[in-house]
Amino acid sequence: GSGAHVPVLVIGTGYGGSVAALRLAQAGTDVHMVEMGMAWDTPGADGKIFANTTKPDDRSFWLRTRTKQPLSNFLGFPIDKNVNRYTGILDAEEFAGITVYQGRGVGGGSLVNGGMAVTPKRENFATILPSVNAAEMYGTYYPRANADLGVTTIDPAWFDSVDCYQYARVGRKHAQRSGFPFLFVPAVYDWDYMKQESAGTVPKSALDAEILYGNNYGKKSLQKTYIDRIKATGRVTITPLHKVTRVSPASGGGYTVLIDQLDTTGRTTVTKTVTADRVFFAAGSVGTSKLLVGLKATGALPGLNNEVGKGWGDNGNVMCGRANHLWDPTGKVQSSIPTGGIDNWDAGGAFAEVAPLPTGIETWASFYLSITKNPHRAEFTWNAAAGRPELNWQTAWKQPSIDAAKTIFDKINRKEGTIYRTDLFGTYKIWGDHLTYHPLGGAVLDKATDNYGRLHGYPGLYVIDGALIPGNVSVNPFVTITALAERNIERIIATDLRR
Ligand code: FAD
């Protein structure tokens, strides 16, 4: 309630926030988690908590009156439709040069993501997080994150036999025929459940196109892993539909936090004030960066350093599709959980996931999300006249990503005698270069913070999410975000909370 005093307040309930809350609670500290999105624990009128990608509805988007689907077109036709403005699950947040997709709700990005749980190659780690001891990460914190997220890899024999991965087998065949290594990618899905979906003995989830707008059954989102354990501690309160707007030093020590309670149309119904001894910023790369640049510029936290807002990247995300020959169908039913990737990172700067196109009809399309070595970094700044944060990313900055992805797909197209699809992102548009699923940076480790996420100038304020990572992890990011949070919170508990 308003006026309360709490030892620890965590802003956001994604990977970083969940790690912080669990470990602090296990160490005996009471924690309050504040989440702007909904709880996502109650079924809608159709008996399901989440909608699927073939039928987006009000639940699917955060405060929009028209859907903004990542694949905006099909066979050249726009597929977006009107919906009611609602505190839905996927935020398509538009900045000048890029749309940044993010999860909203208790569980953050784990609610909407593809569940691909990838640990970067150790030889790349020094370029990802140069100030972090790799031996500790690969010896302790990556294993801890993988175990506690429930990361496993698909049974290769089942993969080879089942209709729903026909699309991935076609992707593997084409990759290998062009000489590219194809790797199985670990995931946070219950594979036994997927086998039962395939056998028709349980309600379908991955096999019913559930991705982007939530997953009703088989995916191990944070709700089923870290947050389940958080609840079991009895020390953590999670408050959904509450948005933190301001953090500033309190006169008696600690920090005063202003929180807007939202209704499901996004309107503020009441503003609450809470005092916290410590505050963890875990609002995601974009959420944390926006808060910090605003707090610095408006005088709430003027002593934050000039690194705040900097070092933001898109993890080099770029999408494309290829049109296969008629003898290479990719399947009517496609599992929404990707299981394979094409590795050309060292030679071409691209790691491409063979992604599903779960339309329910045969499309003869192979679809890919590439993670690329894109050198561009953008900055969040505060637009004082407009009273809001801005991001200076430019669409043209995706060109290095397109060039990197072409090192894979131009070669495959030449070998197979195939062409790019031009109907998925507009008419006659090959590259999905307008978006990212993987925002990273904005409060970079060892720059805006010390080497464990402590914000310079303000004892008791921490960053513990994707904002710490400078723009690129070479693979999908959530395992690295989780592992880094595990590393940092262990140090913070040992040195800041015990005395
Ligand atoms: P988040 O998980 O984004 O959590 C931040 C939370 O803070 C959110 O719940 C947000 O609502 C809340 N919040 C923000 N501002 C405030 C505020 N002011 N007050 C209160 N609460 C606030 N990564 C992978 O590794 N593998 C994948 O397969 C994959 N697929 C993806 C697919 C999609 C469609 C998307 C969108 C992302 C995908 N990602 C994937 C990325 C991954 O989900 C993110 O990198 C990850 O969730 C980031 O974790 P985080 O802890 O930094 O923040």
Side-chain angles (χ1 to χ4, degrees):
S2 207
H5 178 102
V6 297
V8 173
L9 186 136
V10 176
I11 308 170
T13 57
Y15 294 92
S18 294
V19 169
L22 178 62
R23 301 310 175 200
L24 286 160
Q26 287 174 337
T29 304
D30 290 336
V31 179
H32 203 116
M33 300 181 86
V34 180
E35 169 56 54
M36 70 194 263
M38 302 202 303
W40 299 109
D41 56 3
T42 312
D46 60 356
K48 298 200 169 180
I49 297 177
F50 305 113
N52 75 8
T53 46
T54 58
K55 291 192 193 67
D57 61 26
D58 295 355
R59 288 172 293 189
S60 302
F61 281 88
W62 177 257
L63 304 181
R64 300 186 76 89
T65 53
R66 192 163 172 78
T67 66
K68 192 173 175 71
Q69 304 190 59
L71 269 79
S72 55
N73 291 61
F74 190 64
L75 304 172
F77 293 101
I79 55 173
D80 281 312
K81 62 173 198 182
N82 295 337
V83 287
N84 292 310
R85 186 181 156 87
Y86 188 68
T87 46
I89 199 159
L90 184 66
D91 193 353
E93 190 170 1
E94 292 177 78
F95 295 98
I98 194 165
T99 301
V100 184
Y101 285 87
Q102 298 152 87
R104 295 279 172 251
V106 174
S110 81
L111 297 166
V112 300
N113 68 31
M116 300 179 82
V118 193
T119 300
K121 281 186 274 184
R122 184 166 173 170
E123 58 267 33
N124 292 335
F125 188 78
T127 60
I128 300 165
L129 284 163
S131 65
V132 174
N133 181 323
E136 285 177 9
M137 287 296 282
Y138 286 82
T140 303
Y141 303 110
Y142 274 119
R144 184 176 296 171
N146 277 296
D148 287 355
L149 291 166
V151 176
T152 53
T153 304
I154 193 168
D155 164 4
W158 189 68
F159 172 88
D160 278 332
S161 70
V162 72
D163 288 348
C164 65
Y165 282 115
Q166 166 81 14
Y167 75 95
R169 292 194 299 273
V170 169
R172 176 177 63 184
K173 178 176 77 178
H174 290 169
Q176 291 178 341
R177 278 161 39 142
S178 285
F180 295 114
F182 175 93
L183 358 145
F184 283 113
V185 163
V188 288
Y189 202 85
D190 180 341
W191 300 111
D192 288 331
Y193 192 88
M194 201 189 290
K195 287 179 179 173
Q196 295 172 61
E197 291 180 51
S198 179
T201 55
V202 294
K204 289 186 169 59
S205 198
L207 270 54
D208 190 25
E210 289 182 358
I211 175 84
L212 294 176
Y213 312 131
N215 183 292
N216 285 296
Y217 308 107
K219 194 172 80 177
K220 291 177 277 184
S221 74
L222 288 170
Q223 290 187 337
K224 294 186 180 167
T225 59
Y226 277 86
I227 292 172
D228 194 48
R229 271 171 258 138
I230 283 170
K231 288 180 175 164
T233 67
R235 287 193 171 275
V236 184
T237 311
I238 304 178
T239 309
L241 285 175
H242 280 62
K243 179 178 180 175
V244 171
T245 60
R246 191 177 159 95
V247 178
S248 57
S251 48
Y255 294 89
T256 302
V257 183
L258 292 193
I259 308 171
D260 285 349
Q261 179 169 358
L262 309 179
D263 68 18
T264 56
T265 69
R267 225 176 354 203
T268 299
T269 53
V270 52
T271 296
K272 301 176 180 176
T273 307
V274 172
T275 312
D277 298 332
R278 299 170 199 283
V279 178
F280 285 79
F281 288 83
S285 160
V286 174
T288 292
S289 303
K290 288 195 307 182
L291 272 171
L292 292 178
V293 296
L295 295 171
K296 178 172 166 64
T298 59
L301 298 173
L304 292 172
N305 75 17
N306 286 328
E307 294 289 339
V308 163
K310 290 186 178 152
W312 187 87
D314 69 341
N315 209 25
N317 281 190
V318 67
M319 292 176 176
C320 68
R322 293 180 37 255
N324 292 311
H325 295 295
L326 288 180
W327 59 82
D328 264 339
T330 46
K332 267 200 292 231
V333 175
Q334 304 193 359
S335 170
S336 65
I337 301 297
T339 49
I342 303 169
D343 182 15
N344 197 35
W345 188 262
D346 294 336
F351 172 71
E353 287 152 10
V354 180
L357 260 185
T359 57
I361 58 168
E362 178 56 56
T363 62
W364 286 276
S366 285
F367 181 55
Y368 308 91
L369 168 63
S370 299
I371 294 165
T372 65
K373 214 181 267 182
N374 189 312
H376 290 293
R377 296 293 177 266
E379 181 178 355
F380 284 91
T381 51
W382 184 251
N383 180 333
R388 59 173 162 77
E390 286 176 351
L391 178 68
N392 68 348
W393 182 271
Q394 299 174 29
T395 307
W397 290 0
K398 287 280 193 185
Q399 192 59 45
S401 295
I402 294 172
D403 294 343
K406 281 162 74 79
T407 67
I408 297 176
F409 302 114
D410 280 3
K411 187 166 177 194
I412 291 178
N413 277 338
R414 268 198 307 275
K415 174 82 185 170
E416 302 298 326
T418 50
I419 57 170
Y420 289 101
R421 294 282 289 225
T422 56
D423 63 327
L424 301 173
F425 304 104
T427 25
Y428 305 110
K429 184 163 163 48
I430 291 175
W431 298 100
D433 61 356
H434 58 298
L435 84 178
T436 186
Y437 288 171
H438 299 166
L440 292 165
V444 169
L445 188 78
D446 211 31
K447 291 189 168 171
T449 72
D450 78 354
N451 203 23
Y452 291 88
R454 301 176 182 100
L455 274 162
H456 290 300
Y458 294 97
L461 295 187
Y462 307 88
V463 175
I464 192 150
D465 58 15
L468 292 172
I469 297 174
N472 201 306
V473 293
S474 76
V475 293
N476 317 62
F478 76 63
V479 173
T480 297
I481 293 170
T482 304
L484 184 65
E486 289 282 14
R487 166 195 179 267
N488 292 354
I489 198 68
E490 188 175 274
R491 172 65 63 103
I492 290 164
I493 289 170
T495 61
D496 298 16
L497 278 90
R498 304 227 166 87
R499 62 197 83 150

